[in-house]
Amino acid sequence: MHSNRLALYSQRMAAVTLVFMVAMMVVNAVAWLYPEAASRYGLGFALTERQLSSLPEEALRLTGWQCLGGILLTSIPLLALAVGLTNLRRLFKHYAQGQYFSTAAAVYLGNAGRAVALWVLLDFICEPFLSLLVTIYAPVGQRLLTFSITAPSFVALFLAACIAIIARILFQASEVDSENRTFV
């Protein structure tokens, strides 16, 4: 592929990544502010969608502090994912400048992989607190404490491991490239 086209694609991906990060946080907040609509249309990401879709229609009438708590608790894992996307965005910007074999690119890629793994871990940790929060006013016997490990979680962890290994390979390649440039 021509390097100018690759630079253009990298710039576009950096912009799309930024839009996705903002949209992800906004959709998450909107899902908690309008849980009936979120449940009906499947809005939300991972933890938000799992919690809201599991509640009966009458339980979707959350108090203001429950909505705020839901936004905050579900934003914790999403912030970890946003950090990963920020590193991915920086990686695309490096690629747009033609810096393919730089140690910075390897670091950004490695940070993105670690952030995805952290996202999965935080999603797992925040879920029980969130389930208690949304069912706190339910009658005794109907309150929930949920934990879940889903197939997408395993896929995300596998991809995070792959990204971390590729980042290490890129780091080694950048060192070899740097050594080769000093000999020339």
Side-chain angles (χ1 to χ4, degrees):
M1 181 179 290
H2 195 266
S3 64
N4 288 339
R5 285 181 73 179
L6 188 58
L8 180 64
Y9 289 146
S10 295
Q11 288 172 342
R12 287 180 182 165
M13 286 304 294
V16 167
T17 303
L18 180 62
V19 168
F20 183 72
M21 284 188 309
V22 172
M24 175 180 69
M25 300 305 282
V26 169
V27 167
N28 184 61
V30 167
W32 285 101
L33 295 172
Y34 304 101
E36 294 89 5
S39 179
R40 186 175 308 125
Y41 299 112
L43 296 176
F45 292 99
L47 187 53
T48 299
E49 186 174 9
R50 279 196 316 272
Q51 286 299 313
L52 293 179
S53 66
S54 68
L55 294 175
E57 188 72 31
E58 62 274 2
L60 289 175
R61 292 178 195 89
L62 303 171
T63 64
W65 74 270
Q66 285 177 302
C67 287
L68 180 62
I71 291 169
L72 292 175
L73 277 172
T74 55
S75 291
I76 293 169
L78 290 180
L79 286 172
L81 185 58
V83 167
L85 291 171
T86 299
N87 278 285
L88 198 59
R89 186 171 189 271
R90 290 178 181 159
L91 177 66
F92 283 126
K93 285 185 167 187
H94 261 65
Y95 287 166
Q97 296 170 356
Q99 299 175 8
Y100 305 114
F101 290 110
S102 68
T103 55
V107 169
Y108 292 143
L109 187 60
N111 288 344
R114 283 187 287 283
V116 169
L118 183 61
W119 169 56
V120 172
L121 176 66
L122 289 173
D123 192 70
F124 178 76
I125 291 171
C126 289
E127 183 173 4
F129 297 109
L130 185 62
S131 65
L132 286 174
L133 175 77
V134 298
T135 61
I136 198 161
Y137 291 125
V140 175
Q142 293 180 5
R143 296 181 188 140
L144 296 175
L145 175 66
T146 61
F147 294 91
S148 64
I149 299 175
T150 62
S153 298
F154 287 111
V155 171
L157 287 175
F158 175 74
L159 290 175
C162 291
I163 290 170
I165 292 169
I166 292 168
R168 189 65 189 149
I169 292 168
L170 181 59
F171 188 83
Q172 292 289 328
S174 68
E175 286 182 348
V176 169
D177 183 59
S178 177
E179 287 176 12
N180 287 343
R181 289 175 192 244
T182 60
F183 287 124
V184 175

